[in-house]
Amino acid sequence: SSFMPVGDYLYLFANDSINGAELWRTDGSEEGTIFLDNINIANFPSGMEEYIEFKGNLYGTAISFFEGVELYTSNGTPQGSKFVTPSDLFSSSYPHDYVVDGNYFYYIGSTGLFGGQAIFRSDGTKAGTKIYLGDDKDIEDIANLTKVGGMMCVSIKRNGKYGAYYVDTKNEELKALDMVDDLGHSDFFCGNDSIILFLHLDATGGLYQSNIT
């Protein structure tokens, strides 16, 4: 697995022939290299597809037979390595597209076995990890949560139409940048706090610009 530099440690998934590929950390010394957690059962391998550093700790998406595909954290100690939002394989939230913004981080996740998707906000604790925006019946899909300048942009399929939005954290709402069409998600957001550029899969594959007011 790839190395994950976070805080004072380098995290990695390594196989010690006993636990399978599981979570370790090192500070570069022999005595500072320790096994942290057997995330998955028996010798089934674990991994972390996405991760972020938040307040000096590791946060990312891990998989476990018992806990599902959920938000996981480690502070570099075995005691502090655990699932933040445990569930099970049948109702996992599948966190992805992490964005750190101030005292919180955000990600896209599933709202349940028969639910849709939403943007979650977390302060790093179980109690402080909740659905933030997007858990609406008319929202069918959410993708590509991206930090652009001091704001977050996201692509949403709503009532059969794909469009680009930004997250208004002050008023805690989603605001449309452009409702484009029904062909596909917007991607590759860039710009600053007043002008957003993004690509959208439409008939022309166009580059769009939206001014934030």
Side-chain angles (χ1 to χ4, degrees):
S1 179
S2 300
F3 295 118
M4 299 174 287
V6 172
D8 296 328
Y9 302 116
L10 194 65
Y11 294 84
L12 67 153
F13 285 85
N15 193 332
D16 62 359
S17 75
I18 299 174
N19 298 298
E22 294 294 346
L23 186 62
W24 292 66
R25 65 88 164 154
T26 181
D27 62 5
S29 66
E30 182 176 354
E31 59 274 13
T33 302
I34 64 171
F35 171 76
L36 291 176
D37 190 15
N38 188 2
I39 297 174
N40 216 345
I41 62 172
N43 286 321
F44 291 101
S46 298
M48 195 166 284
E49 294 297 324
E50 293 187 53
Y51 78 94
I52 54 168
E53 178 177 351
F54 181 68
K55 297 182 178 180
N57 297 328
L58 171 73
Y59 287 86
T61 306
I63 183 171
S64 165
F65 182 82
F66 292 112
E67 309 294 352
V69 186
E70 291 291 344
L71 179 62
Y72 186 91
T73 185
S74 178
N75 62 3
T77 68
Q79 297 79 10
S81 301
K82 57 188 176 182
F83 279 95
V84 179
T85 55
S87 61
D88 58 62
L89 283 177
F90 300 103
S91 60
S92 296
S93 64
Y94 300 96
H96 59 282
D97 291 4
Y98 293 96
V99 170
V100 177
D101 187 46
N103 293 320
Y104 300 98
F105 65 87
Y106 301 78
Y107 61 87
I108 298 171
S110 172
T111 59
L113 180 59
F114 299 106
Q117 287 188 309
I119 298 173
F120 288 71
R121 185 176 75 176
S122 178
D123 62 4
T125 68
K126 180 179 180 180
T129 302
K130 300 177 180 179
I131 294 174
Y132 181 62
L133 289 172
D135 188 24
D136 303 325
K137 292 181 179 179
D138 61 340
I139 292 181
E140 302 164 54
D141 195 18
I142 303 177
N144 305 325
L145 185 63
T146 308
K147 184 77 173 287
V148 180
M151 68 178 62
M152 290 177 287
C153 296
V154 67
S155 180
I156 292 176
K157 184 180 181 183
R158 171 175 262 160
N159 294 324
K161 296 287 186 178
Y162 291 93
Y165 291 75
Y166 74 93
V167 180
D168 182 346
T169 54
K170 181 179 179 180
N171 297 305
E172 297 191 356
E173 60 181 343
L174 292 165
K175 292 188 176 179
L177 290 168
D178 197 350
M179 185 59 70
V180 188
D181 57 29
D182 58 356
L183 293 181
H185 278 297
S186 303
D187 203 354
F188 302 108
F189 292 99
C190 64
N192 53 41
D193 292 346
S194 58
I195 298 176
I196 303 295
L197 298 174
F198 57 94
L199 291 176
H200 187 83
L201 178 62
D202 62 3
T204 61
L207 176 65
Y208 289 79
Q209 174 180 314
S210 183
N211 296 324
I212 306 299
T213 57

